[in-house]
Amino acid sequence: MEAPQKKRSVVQRFLDWVEKVGNKLPHPVFVFIFLSLITIIVSEIVYRAGVTVDFFDAKANEQTSIQAVSLMNPEGLRYIFNSATSNFTGFAPMGTVLVTMLGVGVAEWSGMIGSALRKLISKVPHSLLTMVIVFAGIISNIASDAGYVVVVPLGAIMFAGARRHPIAGLAAAFAGVSGGFSANLLFGPTDALLSGITNAALQAAGNPYEVAITSNWYFLIVSTIFLTIVGTLITEKVVEPHLGDYHGDFEEHEAEELTVQEEKGLSRAGWTLLISLIVTFILVNPWFGPLHEIDPETGEKTLQPFMNTGILFLVFLLFSVPGVVYGKTTGKINSSFDIVEAMTEGMRSMSGFIVMAFFASQLIAYFSHTNLGIILASTGAEFLKARNISGIPLIIAFILFSAFINLFIGSASAKWAILAPIFVPMFIAINLSPEMTQMAYRVADSSTNIISPLMNYFAMILVFMQRYDKKSGIGTLISTMLPYSMAFLVCWTILLLIWYSLNLPLGPGAPVTLSMIRSLMVYM
């Protein structure tokens, strides 16, 4: 007699519906083609309507007037044909994914990753595995976009090795890397970029106030811990039960004890990694490190170019070199041909992503070229400004609006360059500090990254998911990530409002209200 099936909750039935509807769509490649065609048609309609928006672009530090660019006139058709190759080769994730996967391919083919994960899983308590993956995802954003290519697939592998659903591990890691993009224990390139745009918006408004790179640091530290807990609960209480049992293939060797040679290989690879990290520290140290550059604008040393792009080559080295040492020790790598074979295998696994990336890059390029995202953001911001909302309702409305816009414009800095000149002065008028406005934007920007098909790495995550379930489609990915997105948006917003109500500083010398500054000045 078969056991009765457990009744699925309302949330699970809703996610089933989202997945079912989403997966009725054709292959993701054709979804991107279809959305590209819609963008082409809409661009012509908006262009014919003569829609024009005026706004101050804080990134360019100039007043700008734009209108929709049609892709259905001769100039637009020339753009479609002439830019197709450059759209593809210039697609941001291409370099990130392919360079990183060369190194990861060596580490994976040699067996180093499998052995390291088996050892790690035996050491990490089962109850803490989810938390470790979400936390690793969140703090990985200090290394630019490398977390997408490294932490997300490793999350799936670690769950598979622990006999848990690998897609749940992938989802937990993706939620940390992308949903928690604006949280970290350290401040990094994103903080510098956004605070620079905020200061440009203040200068344009004639306000001498300046926002520091550390302006959100205290809140980001608390957010890292908070989102780790939220992400863990969503994974274990919502996502894993929704996914059910995994019926794919687990590799049997994942449960075996490490051999003497594997232990020796891991030891040597570990020492190699340590030496590599010491050399890296020498290269990036702020006193004489050659990887520091002189910023032409400030004249000061900066590591930002390395953190933005150079770190990807470092990730390649940190995987490939220890991988070769491990392979040499265990006998898996015996010649240069084996090393090249390992890299080739890594590239082979990304063939599906490369195909999908061609069409995804066209859609994202069309949306940017037609100015539809900017028009939507600027028009919506002016509409919200005209509603005369204030206080907490305004903060909530701003967060919801920014989260919605994030579905259409992937770049955090591009959106903030449009929104900051409107909302920073607007929030100052109701006594909210620029640091508070910037943090509210960051909460919104991060929360909906994981459900936007226009997000640069969305196609790549879908390819990773299809490794474990070939039937996975856009509906599967969105239905899996939707609980994280909504939970992060709601819980993170509540945390920010509590922070605001308690009048706590967001960072060193960074208040939530301007009256807090005035009080400190009077006290001094």
Side-chain angles (χ1 to χ4, degrees):
M1 184 175 178
E2 292 184 6
Q5 289 187 338
K6 279 181 78 173
K7 187 177 180 181
R8 297 176 74 77
S9 67
V10 174
V11 172
Q12 289 175 331
R13 291 200 301 273
F14 171 72
L15 295 177
D16 287 338
W17 177 82
V18 172
E19 181 177 2
K20 185 178 179 181
V21 171
N23 287 346
K24 281 185 178 294
L25 296 172
H27 190 283
V29 163
F30 285 88
V31 172
F32 287 122
I33 293 173
F34 181 67
L35 291 175
S36 297
L37 292 174
I38 290 177
T39 302
I40 292 171
I41 295 169
V42 171
S43 72
E44 172 69 10
I45 294 171
V46 179
Y47 171 75
R48 292 284 183 184
V51 177
T52 303
V53 294
D54 298 313
F55 68 97
F56 183 83
D57 186 341
K59 202 172 184 181
N61 198 27
E62 62 183 16
Q63 187 68 28
T64 305
S65 177
I66 66 162
Q67 64 180 41
V69 175
S70 174
L71 291 175
M72 291 185 70
N73 55 25
E75 185 180 347
L77 291 174
R78 286 195 296 271
Y79 172 81
I80 291 173
F81 282 91
N82 297 342
S83 69
T85 302
S86 59
N87 291 342
F88 178 47
T89 57
F91 190 41
M94 285 295 291
T96 303
V97 172
L98 299 184
V99 170
T100 307
M101 285 305 296
L102 281 173
V104 173
V106 174
E108 190 170 16
W109 189 86
S110 69
M112 187 188 81
I113 289 180
S115 296
L117 288 174
R118 279 151 56 197
K119 195 173 184 69
L120 178 62
I121 290 168
S122 68
K123 301 294 183 183
V124 176
H126 184 80
S127 59
L128 295 180
L129 182 59
T130 309
M131 188 172 291
V132 168
I133 290 173
V134 177
F135 178 76
I138 292 173
I139 64 172
S140 72
N141 66 57
I142 196 71
S144 187
D145 294 339
Y148 288 102
V149 192
V150 177
V151 180
V152 175
L154 287 184
I157 295 171
M158 289 179 72
F159 263 50
R163 291 295 190 270
R164 297 172 65 182
H165 204 300
I167 291 179
L170 179 146
F174 185 30
V177 173
S178 197
F181 187 75
S182 273
N184 213 306
L185 299 179
L186 300 171
F187 47 88
T190 302
D191 299 88
L193 189 61
L194 296 183
S195 60
I197 293 173
T198 303
N199 286 330
L202 287 165
Q203 291 169 11
N207 192 320
Y209 190 96
E210 284 195 11
V211 171
I213 187 176
T214 57
S215 59
N216 298 142
W217 192 20
Y218 296 161
F219 187 78
L220 296 183
I221 292 172
V222 175
S223 295
T224 301
I225 300 167
F226 181 71
L227 293 182
T228 298
I229 295 170
V230 173
T232 300
L233 291 174
I234 292 298
T235 302
E236 297 183 348
K237 303 298 182 184
V238 180
V239 172
E240 261 190 299
H242 171 251
L243 291 171
D245 296 328
Y246 180 64
H247 300 293
D249 295 326
F250 290 98
E251 293 185 14
E252 292 299 326
H253 72 268
E254 288 176 348
E256 299 172 359
E257 293 292 328
L258 294 178
T259 65
V260 174
Q261 284 301 107
E262 287 173 334
E263 289 279 9
K264 187 184 292 185
L266 279 182
S267 176
R268 290 180 179 177
W271 281 109
T272 303
L273 179 61
L274 179 61
I275 293 169
S276 300
L277 291 173
I278 292 172
V279 171
T280 300
F281 176 76
I282 294 171
L283 294 174
V284 302
N285 79 85
W287 300 283
F288 57 84
L291 293 181
H292 278 267
E293 299 180 26
I294 301 298
D295 190 319
E297 295 183 5
T298 63
E300 297 178 355
K301 283 186 175 182
T302 177
L303 196 61
Q304 191 160 331
F306 170 77
M307 293 302 293
N308 288 341
T309 56
I311 199 166
L312 298 175
F313 183 63
L314 173 63
V315 171
F316 160 73
L317 294 175
L318 293 179
F319 274 94
S320 60
V321 177
V324 169
V325 171
Y326 176 88
K328 283 281 189 183
T329 304
T330 60
K332 184 69 182 287
I333 293 178
N334 297 304
S335 68
S336 59
F337 291 93
D338 291 330
I339 298 174
V340 174
E341 172 62 24
M343 292 183 181
T344 303
E345 189 63 32
M347 291 296 96
R348 191 176 293 123
S349 68
M350 286 290 98
S351 58
F353 165 71
I354 294 172
V355 172
M356 206 178 297
F358 175 78
F359 297 97
S361 65
Q362 307 307 320
L363 169 62
I364 293 170
Y366 294 170
F367 210 84
S368 173
H369 182 76
T370 57
N371 292 327
L372 292 178
I374 295 175
I375 290 171
L376 181 63
S378 183
T379 304
E382 291 294 347
F383 174 81
L384 192 58
K385 182 179 180 181
R387 299 303 96 188
N388 294 321
I389 312 170
S390 62
I392 288 179
L394 176 59
I395 297 173
I396 295 173
F398 172 60
I399 290 174
L400 292 176
F401 170 71
S402 299
F404 174 72
I405 291 299
N406 189 45
L407 297 174
F408 303 96
I409 308 179
S411 169
S413 61
K415 289 191 298 292
W416 189 228
I418 299 166
L419 300 180
I422 297 171
F423 287 104
V424 169
M426 181 178 169
F427 275 50
I428 287 176
I430 61 169
N431 203 35
L432 293 179
S433 69
E435 293 91 342
M436 178 65 181
T437 311
Q438 179 178 287
M439 193 62 244
Y441 168 74
R442 297 180 74 173
V443 167
D445 176 67
S446 292
S447 298
T448 51
N449 279 339
I450 48 183
I451 58 171
S452 171
L454 288 175
M455 198 272 288
N456 283 339
Y457 289 91
F458 191 86
M460 186 198 72
I461 302 299
L462 185 54
V463 170
F464 284 150
M465 178 177 279
Q466 288 172 344
R467 286 183 176 181
Y468 300 96
D469 182 1
K470 295 188 183 301
K471 295 180 180 179
S472 293
I474 287 179
T476 309
L477 181 52
I478 291 179
S479 69
T480 302
M481 301 313 301
L482 190 60
Y484 293 104
S485 182
M486 295 301 98
F488 279 19
L489 184 61
V490 172
C491 296
W492 210 354
T493 298
I494 291 172
L495 178 65
L496 184 63
L497 294 178
I498 292 172
W499 203 280
Y500 164 73
S501 300
L502 295 176
N503 215 13
L504 299 173
L506 292 161
V512 293
T513 63
L514 295 175
S515 57
M516 189 174 174
I517 300 175
R518 298 186 191 105
S519 299
L520 287 172
M521 291 177 67
V522 170
Y523 178 77
M524 292 169 64

